[in-house]
Amino acid sequence: MDVMSFRTPGLGDQTYLLTHEGMGVLVDPQRDIDRFLRAAAECAAEVRFVLETHLHNDYVSGAEQAALRTGAELVLPAAAAPAYRHTPAFHLEDIDGGGGLTLRPVHTPGHTPEHTSYLVLIGGEPVALFSGGSLLVASAGRPDLLGPDRARSLARLQYVSLRRLAALPPDVGLYPTHGKGSFCTATGSGKLTSTIGAERQDNPLLAIEDPEEFADALLAAPMPIPGFYRHMGPANTLGVPPMPPMSVPELGRPAAGTYVVDVRPREAQTRGMLPGSLGIELDDDFGSWAGWLLPYRHPITLVAEPGQDVTEAVTQLAQVGVDTVRGVVRDLGKDATQAYELLDLDAFVHRLTETDAQFLDVRMPSERERTRLAGAVERFLPDLFTQGVPAELDPERPVLVACASGRRASIAGGLLAREGYRPLVLTDAGVAEVVAALHQRDDA
């Protein structure tokens, strides 16, 4: 038996391909299924099963399409009841894979009510567990994604589910879907896979004996829920069409009625953007930010540099169900009049000490609790889009903008420029470094 892992960094998720004696089992596939099917073909494995642990909240699934393409048996938790043909997985009702392989569904509600993990047995011996959003490495799946009214009930269920899985033999490999970078995890973790024995020893949530205390821990400091999440469950319940074409037309100007999204590096954006556009530098999390900050599924025109490949941008958008890219503009000409300025840490701190300085912190609330700068105007990046620019900020004075690394601050800088402000964006550093530099300056 072999397990291959496919990381989708921007969503913080993993898809798995288990192979055994020429048979393949695909677990929680992202929508761009070609990469998984190529891997199966390269190792001469026939995909016989496609497993879903739950109806995903953070991406649109490729499971149905993978099953249709390969003829594999599509297996979902019995309580998921999606609108397309599948095999329902009932608790502890084994699925015989042949060749000594058995797939054992284990009902593990908590992240979602229907959530089911899959224990893999070879020759009757348990060897691997695909735990989806239940037991994670040093963590557990969030119970609050379906709303605050159900969160505590689901947290109590998660308590029982984690202990159910922790009772498995210690050498069983743990292969969760959610991991570092996912908004579906209750806490962060650097590792992606583990063993049951390692989690018994190191997972802090398994050390909590009382279910109410466990629920308190899971719900103590919830992370924000990306805006596009509310569209994922319904899409995965009804079924998702195949990936859209990856090639998009070259345009001389943005298509009418589209949102213009500039994917160029932030240094290029500072030289000028099209008026009204939003700058989201192309990186691993481009699709998540675009899906969160823009009206969902509204038509989009991309702005890219000459020669810049936009296939990754189109792919990431499709992973969250946005198939509405109308084309790409590469020559901005004289129309690129919207701009912001990038500053390194020294220049940013120097400007911050000037009398007209006003500072905007766009980190999320849990980050601000760890490190704060006195006098800062605080508004999480997505809230700038839903609530608007804070009234305390004066458009006649420069606005210094920071986050934890420069990623979110540069997006905010583009928005502020669009709204008529003069943003100065801290790049390649964050608020913690600013606070340290100011303390060092005071001590000198």
Side-chain angles (χ1 to χ4, degrees), residues 107-176:
H107 188 210
T108 47
H111 184 49
T112 62
E114 82 285 353
H115 192 286
T116 297
S117 301
Y118 297 93
L119 180 64
V120 178
L121 300 94
I122 302 292
E125 295 296 321
V127 293
L129 177 75
F130 296 107
S131 62
S134 185
L135 179 62
L136 310 182
V137 180
S139 185
R142 292 177 66 173
D144 62 329
L145 294 179
L146 300 184
D149 293 340
R150 304 175 71 183
R152 193 161 194 91
S153 176
L154 286 168
R156 294 191 194 101
L157 290 171
Q158 193 71 297
Y159 171 87
V160 177
S161 293
L162 260 61
R163 275 142 190 81
R164 173 175 284 170
L165 297 180
L168 293 169
D171 57 349
V172 169
L174 177 68
Y175 300 95

Side-chain angles (χ1 to χ4, degrees), residues 291-362:
W292 194 343
L293 302 178
L294 295 172
Y296 190 66
R297 289 183 176 163
H298 194 94
I300 291 170
T301 295
L302 300 175
V303 172
E305 292 198 288
Q308 184 179 6
D309 188 1
V310 298
T311 302
E312 179 64 19
V314 177
T315 298
Q316 288 190 33
L317 289 168
Q319 287 173 337
V320 297
V322 178
D323 299 350
T324 51
V325 178
R326 298 294 183 250
V328 57
V329 173
R330 299 184 186 275
D331 183 5
L332 278 61
K334 297 179 180 180
D335 295 330
T337 57
Q338 176 182 303
Y340 60 92
E341 185 178 347
L342 292 176
L343 299 178
D344 63 18
L345 181 60
D346 288 342
F348 192 89
V349 170
H350 176 74
R351 292 298 298 266
L352 198 58
T353 58
E354 295 179 353
T355 56
D356 68 341
Q358 48 183 352
F359 176 52
L360 175 64
D361 181 348
V362 297

Side-chain angles (χ1 to χ4, degrees), residues 23-91:
M23 180 180 63
V25 179
L26 188 60
V27 183
D28 283 346
Q30 297 272 341
R31 189 182 183 193
D32 50 323
I33 61 176
D34 284 348
R35 52 178 168 150
F36 317 130
L37 303 188
R38 279 196 304 268
E42 287 169 2
C43 60
E46 178 190 358
V47 179
R48 291 274 306 281
F49 295 94
V50 179
L51 309 180
E52 287 275 66
T53 57
H54 59 296
L55 293 173
H56 301 285
N57 296 299
D58 57 334
Y59 63 87
V60 291
S61 171
E64 182 191 12
Q65 294 301 322
L68 290 172
R69 283 265 299 272
T70 62
E73 185 174 349
L74 176 61
V75 180
L76 280 90
Y84 40 88
R85 185 176 295 276
H86 67 287
T87 297
F90 293 93
H91 179 58

Side-chain angles (χ1 to χ4, degrees), residues 61-279:
S61 171
E64 182 191 12
Q65 294 301 322
L68 290 172
R69 283 265 299 272
T70 62
E73 185 174 349
L74 176 61
V75 180
L76 280 90
Y84 40 88
R85 185 176 295 276
H86 67 287
T87 297
F90 293 93
H91 179 58
L92 300 185
E93 290 193 5
D94 289 351
I95 299 170
D96 183 7
L101 183 143
T102 300
L103 303 173
R104 177 169 295 167
V106 182
H107 188 210
T108 47
H111 184 49
T112 62
E114 82 285 353
H115 192 286
T116 297
S117 301
Y118 297 93
L119 180 64
V120 178
L121 300 94
I122 302 292
E125 295 296 321
V127 293
L129 177 75
F130 296 107
S131 62
S134 185
L135 179 62
L136 310 182
V137 180
S139 185
R142 292 177 66 173
D144 62 329
L145 294 179
L146 300 184
D149 293 340
R150 304 175 71 183
R152 193 161 194 91
S153 176
L154 286 168
R156 294 191 194 101
L157 290 171
Q158 193 71 297
Y159 171 87
V160 177
S161 293
L162 260 61
R163 275 142 190 81
R164 173 175 284 170
L165 297 180
L168 293 169
D171 57 349
V172 169
L174 177 68
Y175 300 95
T177 299
H178 301 312
K180 183 181 180 182
S182 172
F183 277 91
C184 285
T185 63
T187 57
S189 173
K191 291 181 62 179
L192 303 175
T193 61
S194 183
T195 65
I196 295 297
E199 292 310 299
R200 282 188 205 164
Q201 179 176 333
D202 299 329
N203 193 318
L205 293 174
L206 288 173
I208 302 175
E209 297 294 338
D210 180 71
E212 296 303 328
E213 184 183 345
F214 178 92
D216 290 341
L218 278 191
L219 301 172
M223 291 191 297
I225 299 175
F228 67 87
Y229 272 30
R230 66 180 178 272
H231 303 285
M232 301 297 95
N236 291 325
T237 300
L238 298 176
V240 180
M243 286 282 283
M246 291 295 99
S247 60
V248 295
E250 301 278 335
L251 305 175
R253 65 184 64 183
T258 61
Y259 275 85
V260 181
V261 182
D262 195 323
V263 303
R264 297 176 300 159
R266 66 188 72 160
E267 292 79 10
Q269 293 175 11
T270 62
R271 296 194 293 270
M273 301 165 61
L274 293 177
S277 62
L278 175 65

